[in-house]
Each structure stands twice: as C-alpha cells, then as structure tokens.
Amino acid sequence: RVREVRRAEREHSERRHALELELAEQRARRSGIRERFEAEWEEEYETLSRRVEPPEEGTLDEWAEELEVLRGRIRKLGPVNPLAAREYEDEKERLTFLEEQNGDLTKARDDLQASIRRINQAAAETFLESFQEIRENFKRTFGTLFEGGECDLWLDPEDPLDSPIEISAAPAGKRTQRIHLLSGGERALTALSLLFAIYLAKPSPFCVMDEVDAPLDEANIGRFIRMLEEFKNETQFVVITHNPRTIEAADWIYGVTMQEPGVSSIVGVEFADLPSGQVA
C-alpha cells in the first residue's frame, strides 16, 4: 500500500509539473497576444477592453466562426490607415472652422439682402413719387405744345425699378396710340414734352439740343420757341439748329464758317444781354 501511495504521489507530482508547465506556457501565450494586441492598436489592453461589449454566451467554435466573419469584413476594408484618428481630428477642426465661416457668410448675406430690400423699397417710393410728378407735368407740357390732345405714362407699380415705361400720345383730333405710330414731328414734340416735364420736376442748369426742331413744321416751331422762352430763366439752352425761326429767337448765335479752304472759324453774334437765363 505504501508503494501504491508513493506511485500515486509520483504520478500526481508529474501531473502537477505538467500542469505548471502548461500554465506557464498559456501565460506566456496570453502575454504575447496582449503585447501584440496593444502594439497593433497602439493602446493599453485595459483601455481597449472597456470599449468592447462583453461577449454573448456561446462556445469556442461559435466564437471562432464569428471571429472569422469579422476578419473577413476587416480584409474587405483594405489596409488600415494608422493616421486615420489624427486625420479625423484635423478634418473635424477644419470642418468646425468652415462651418463658422459659412455661418458668418450666411449672416452677412442675409444682412446684405435686407439692406438691398430696404434700399429698393426707398428707391421705389422715391421713383414713384418723381414718376407721378413727371406724369402730371407731361400732360401739361404736352397740352401746351400740341394745343390740346391727351397723353399718359405708365409702368408696373409692383416692380417700378425694372418695369419698362410705356408712353401713349394722342394729338388733338387723333385717337390715343403708341408713340411709334406718330409722325416724325409729333414724336419730336412728344419727346420735348417729356423732356420739359422732367425739367419741371428737376430743373437742370444746362440743356443741349441737337436738331430737335428739324422735323417740326412752322406751327410747331412757334410752340417750341414759346416753351424755350418759358424755361430759359431756369435753364440755359444750347440748341444746334438750321431753322431760321429758332435762330431768330436766340439771345446769342454762334456759327462755324470756312472763309478760306481748310480753315474753319467761329463767328458769334449777340442779340440781347439778359442777366439771367439765355438761349444760344
């Protein structure tokens, strides 16, 4: 019995020694796996283990199968960029900067659009006031030059700054029609009526007219001259003309003559010496 007990002791001792060797081997393998794991992920094992959810219950074969599936997914992702985390932080910082810049630009755009709306509103109100005044003046000057008749100006009141301005004119005895359907003299008088209507709303110190009386007949020339006489106290008119009646109504006459071939000279004749406003 003692021999049997001793034999059993030796067997257990050998088994214990084998288990100790296997335990040391398993510890070494565990330590190697941990070191490789930390080297691959560049973080400590404890930090990584806190990120991982505990595995569900299952066998080693099931875990091995799941591990193979995960490895396949990792292989499909391609090479791992070890600088991905740092690049992510850089891109995140860049994104934050761009979002702030975009917010500033959006606010500046909204402020600019609000300013444009205010300016457009003020400009539209001022323009409509001036337009209404010129419209009334146009009717009056048109009636004076044509000795009667009807005329009108209109535009789109919803968009006055971009709306085209329509002009209708009907000299006495004619039906209302578009200005392009009038004769040359009638169009010239209509344009002069509008010009003088604008001067009534906003006088100008000077006005240059180039052959505006060329298409006018004798009767219309007289009305044109009378209109100049009415406005000459506020505006100095410089009229380029060949019409004798317009020249007779001038206070100064300047002509260009060529007394010698190739040599031009200016000749001036003063008809009157008026202290305020002149027609030349």
Side-chain angles (χ1 to χ4, degrees):
R1 185 175 181 182
V2 170
R3 285 193 300 271
E4 291 177 357
V5 170
R6 289 177 178 173
R7 186 175 59 254
E9 180 184 3
R10 286 193 299 270
E11 292 176 355
H12 287 303
S13 178
E14 292 175 356
R15 177 61 178 166
R16 177 181 177 183
H17 180 67
L19 291 175
E20 288 178 350
L21 292 176
E22 184 179 358
L23 179 60
E25 182 180 354
Q26 293 295 335
R27 285 177 178 175
R29 289 182 58 189
R30 177 181 178 182
S31 177
I33 293 174
R34 178 169 178 170
E35 290 177 358
R36 188 181 64 183
F37 193 74
E38 292 178 346
E40 181 177 353
W41 292 90
E42 297 182 354
E43 288 194 42
E44 294 184 357
Y45 174 80
E46 288 75 9
T47 303
L48 294 172
S49 63
R50 287 193 294 268
R51 301 180 185 176
V52 181
E53 298 180 359
E56 299 179 357
E57 294 183 1
T59 63
L60 290 176
D61 294 335
E62 293 174 349
W63 291 351
E65 183 179 354
E66 183 178 357
L67 179 61
E68 189 61 30
V69 172
L70 294 177
R71 285 176 176 172
R73 293 179 180 177
I74 292 175
R75 284 193 297 269
K76 290 180 180 180
L77 291 176
V80 177
N81 182 9
L83 301 177
R86 183 180 302 174
E87 292 177 357
Y88 168 77
E89 294 298 331
D90 294 340
E91 294 298 328
K92 182 179 179 182
E93 183 178 354
R94 176 65 176 171
L95 176 62
T96 303
F97 172 76
L98 293 177
E99 288 177 344
E100 292 177 355
Q101 295 295 313
N102 181 66
D104 294 340
L105 291 175
T106 302
K107 183 178 181 301
R109 180 202 62 189
D110 295 340
D111 294 342
L112 182 59
Q113 290 178 346
S115 299
I116 291 174
R117 286 193 294 269
R118 289 194 300 269
I119 293 173
N120 286 343
Q121 182 178 0
E125 293 174 355
T126 303
F127 178 80
L128 287 176
E129 292 176 0
S130 300
F131 177 80
Q132 190 62 32
E133 182 180 359
I134 293 173
R135 182 185 180 193
E136 297 300 325
N137 295 338
F138 179 50
K139 294 179 180 179
R140 187 165 64 255
T141 56
F142 184 88
T144 301
L145 288 176
F146 282 93
E147 295 183 348
E150 297 179 354
C151 66
D152 201 0
L153 300 173
W154 70 89
L155 48 70
D156 182 7
E158 299 298 328
D159 189 17
L161 299 181
D162 294 325
S163 171
I165 297 177
E166 300 289 340
I167 302 176
S168 66
K174 295 186 177 181
R175 61 183 179 86
T176 302
Q177 55 186 336
R178 302 289 183 179
I179 189 173
H180 67 274
L181 298 177
L182 300 176
S183 65
E186 290 171 339
R187 287 201 301 269
L189 276 186
T190 302
L192 289 171
S193 301
L194 181 57
L195 175 65
F196 288 125
I198 295 174
Y199 279 169
L200 285 174
K202 189 175 181 60
S204 175
F206 296 96
C207 177
V208 180
M209 296 182 176
D210 186 6
E211 298 285 354
V212 297
D213 56 352
L216 303 181
D217 57 19
E218 289 297 319
N220 290 331
I221 286 291
R223 302 189 191 106
F224 171 61
I225 292 173
R226 287 195 295 272
M227 187 66 72
L228 291 179
E229 292 289 341
E230 292 180 10
F231 278 85
K232 74 176 185 178
N233 292 327
E234 297 291 339
T235 302
Q236 180 176 357
F237 291 93
V238 178
V239 182
I240 301 172
T241 182
H242 293 89
N243 190 285
R245 292 192 59 186
T246 305
I247 295 174
E248 291 175 1
D251 297 328
W252 290 278
I253 298 176
Y254 299 93
V256 180
T257 182
M258 186 179 294
Q259 297 178 353
E260 300 178 11
V263 179
S264 298
S265 59
I266 298 177
V267 178
V269 178
E270 182 177 349
F271 283 171
D273 185 15
L274 300 179
S276 62
Q278 300 86 18
V279 177

